Amino acid sequence: APQNYDVVVVGSGGGGLAAAIQASDAGAHVVIIEKMPTIGGNTIKASVGMNAAETRFQKLKGIEDNKELFYEETLKGGKFKNNPELLREFVNLAPEAIEWLATNGIELNDITITGGMSIDRTHRPADRSAVGGFLISGLVKNINQRNIEVLLETSVAEILLENGAVSGVKVVDEYNDTRILNAKSVIVATGGFSANREMVVKYRPELDGFVTTNHKGATGSGIAMLQNIGAETVDMGEIQIHPTVEQTTSYLISEAIRGGGAILVSQAGQRFYNEMETRDKVSAEIIALPEKSAWIIFDDQVRANNKAADEYIAKGFVISAPTPHELAVKINMDQETLQTTLGRYNQFVEQQKDEDFGRTTALRHPLNQGPYYAIRIAPGVHHTMGGVTINTDTAVLDAQKQVINGAWAAGEVVGGIHGANRIGGNAVADIIIFGILAGRNAAAYAKR
Ligand code: ADP
């Protein structure tokens, strides 16, 4: 016999978990369906943090920020292709989302910066560790406290419609058995399609052969499922490559390392661009180098301020040496050139003015405390900005911009918020902000 719920949440990344918690708090009977054997989706790999302007934590640190500036910088970073209504909602709700997390025991009270932003507004855990694991374990704790059911190794194959409104889903479980779950609301939080090479290449042939930073489950199945019930898509060709990916492991080197003061250097030993520019631009500059790769270089002060750096060292792909001289030898770089590059950069830090590439943020401190570190990096497929269309209630829209009753979507499966280039720290913000909203609206709709 079919099982009955108010709300089915598809996907257990940050978007799905936030939606499920909020829907449950709104009194709905909720189930989470996850096709992989573990919870957390691609969110668990999120590194740098969650952007928000005008938060309590910024004020506590004396950081003055305003929503309008956050809006404008995100729009500029997205090449003015962002959906203005969704972006406005995103910026407005961001501080509340930071508080919603804090209320649920997930406090992001340390703050750093990412490329394309002019102010420290990337919120992260107090111990400066990567945000993903911290966020997922905190959300899972909340799921357990509420006894919300999670079905692992179960994938949603189809969203069912009855008289033009969602009536439930068809799921396939780990034994390959098919079942129907009834629900008036289905929240699709299935993430992006960076790990679906065929789909990536279909929209961007030149990305064939690029590694991806994403987990295996990022296949875009939610997009196809929603298209089958009439959903419209937008910006499907807008696929972000992240500039700093370690190529042998596909491990993403967090923007927090550059945000903490690291620089990018070519094999020739020279800086070649403003490291704090947006991801699309930094990636393009790396691809334009003769080796199509570069080195991220930092000193022990940068390492000490980023827990992720120790994780990279433990992974074994960080090259280190007591002096820049010895580091250059190890990475086959001209010693004089690297020495000159570091000296010149350190002078820019002292004067707080980068005369070569106009870097204006994260000129934190001179890179002069050994040991020194280098990681070889090149771009990798990281985020798909395109996806299904929604309104500011997170209701899924069809080609006529009409709501498909009972269908909701949140997170990377949605297109439009980030335009042509997503800013670092805006994906975690996106999934939490719109996850909460989807949970609230889907519960209210199902129980009305
Ligand atoms: P977001 O960041 O938008 O919250 P994530 O990528 O973190 O998204 O998580 C999406 C989750 O959805 C992943 O764990 C993925 O395995 C899961 N998922 C994708 N498609 C399906 C499906 N058809 N059925 C069930 N789970 C799915």
Side-chain angles (χ1 to χ4, degrees), residues 10-16 33-36 38-44 154-157 189-192 215 217-219 221-222 225 410-413 427 431:
V10 194
S12 72
I33 314 292
E34 170 57 55
K35 70 174 177 179
M36 303 298 281
T38 52
I39 292 189
N42 208 55
T43 303
I44 210 164
T154 303
S155 72
V156 173
T190 48
H215 85 132
T219 58
S221 68
M225 227 151 48
E412 197 176 342
V413 70
I431 62 181

Side-chain angles (χ1 to χ4, degrees), residues 137-439:
S137 66
L139 290 169
V140 166
K141 205 180 266 179
N142 280 276
I143 294 288
N144 293 339
Q145 280 164 356
R146 291 163 178 80
N147 285 316
I148 297 170
E149 199 181 342
V150 184
L151 304 179
L152 295 176
E153 291 184 85
T154 303
S155 72
V156 173
E158 204 182 320
I159 300 172
L160 305 169
L161 285 184
E162 227 170 77
N163 305 322
V166 165
S167 63
V169 292
K170 185 194 276 181
V171 302
V172 181
D173 69 17
E174 55 197 302
Y175 310 106
N176 226 10
D177 286 338
T178 298
R179 280 184 295 147
I180 305 286
L181 309 183
N182 292 326
K184 290 211 176 80
S185 279
V186 173
I187 301 174
V188 178
T190 48
F193 60 92
S194 287
N196 184 336
R197 172 161 298 192
E198 212 171 284
M199 200 164 161
V200 165
V201 172
K202 172 179 163 195
Y203 293 105
R204 293 281 297 281
E206 78 279 15
L207 295 180
D208 200 8
F210 277 63
V211 300
T212 180
T213 61
N214 279 216
H215 85 132
K216 276 205 316 242
T219 58
S221 68
I223 297 176
M225 227 151 48
L226 283 167
Q227 280 180 312
N228 284 341
I229 60 164
E232 178 63 296
T233 58
V234 66
D235 296 342
M236 292 297 285
E238 300 297 352
I239 297 174
Q240 176 170 79
I241 49 176
H242 191 292
T244 57
V245 182
E246 202 284 324
Q247 299 289 299
T248 62
T249 55
S250 299
Y251 219 75
L252 179 130
I253 308 305
S254 174
E255 218 163 314
I257 303 293
R258 278 171 287 148
I263 58 172
L264 292 175
V265 168
S266 67
Q267 186 61 53
Q270 284 156 339
R271 284 179 72 218
F272 51 91
Y273 200 55
N274 170 5
E275 294 86 352
M276 296 308 292
E277 256 295 359
T278 49
R279 291 172 173 180
D280 55 333
K281 292 183 185 168
V282 178
S283 293
E285 293 295 324
I286 295 169
I287 291 166
L289 291 170
E291 300 81 17
K292 299 189 185 341
S293 69
W295 295 93
I296 182 160
I297 296 203
F298 51 100
D299 75 345
D300 206 50
Q301 284 185 84
V302 176
R303 182 204 57 78
N305 281 322
N306 279 288
K307 236 185 153 185
D310 289 328
E311 191 186 314
Y312 307 149
I313 291 167
K315 292 251 166 216
F317 53 63
V318 181
I319 296 162
S320 69
T323 64
H325 198 91
E326 289 159 275
L327 188 70
V329 172
K330 281 188 169 175
I331 62 178
N332 225 351
M333 193 177 278
D334 185 71
Q335 297 162 23
E336 295 287 299
T337 316
L338 179 61
Q339 194 68 261
T340 307
T341 297
L342 282 171
R344 194 165 167 78
Y345 173 77
N346 290 346
Q347 183 195 321
F348 295 158
V349 172
E350 300 290 359
Q351 67 196 36
Q352 285 294 298
K353 188 176 189 319
D354 172 6
E355 288 172 17
D356 290 343
F357 301 105
R359 171 166 169 170
T360 55
T361 59
L363 292 162
R364 304 260 182 215
H365 43 67
L367 300 174
N368 58 13
Q369 292 195 11
Y372 294 80
Y373 305 93
I375 307 172
R376 188 183 204 118
I377 52 84
V381 176
H382 184 54
H383 188 94
T384 48
M385 275 76 71
V388 298
T389 55
I390 59 168
N391 66 15
T392 53
D393 295 329
T394 74
V396 177
L397 301 176
D398 67 15
Q400 281 72 48
K401 296 192 165 42
Q402 297 300 305
V403 164
I404 302 172
N405 289 314
W408 314 87
E412 197 176 342
V413 70
V414 171
I417 294 152
H418 308 290
N421 174 62
R422 179 178 65 77
I423 296 291
N426 274 0
V428 172
D430 180 5
I431 62 181
I432 300 302
I433 292 164
F434 289 105
I436 297 169
L437 203 56

Side-chain angles (χ1 to χ4, degrees), residues 57-64:
F57 299 124
Q58 281 180 314
K59 282 169 200 144
L60 281 172
K61 289 196 184 296
I63 298 166
E64 271 183 51

Side-chain angles (χ1 to χ4, degrees), residues 80-95:
F80 301 93
K81 224 180 164 184
N82 319 54
N83 176 311
E85 288 81 35
L86 290 178
L87 183 57
R88 189 60 74 183
E89 191 81 351
F90 169 88
V91 165
N92 281 340
L93 295 178

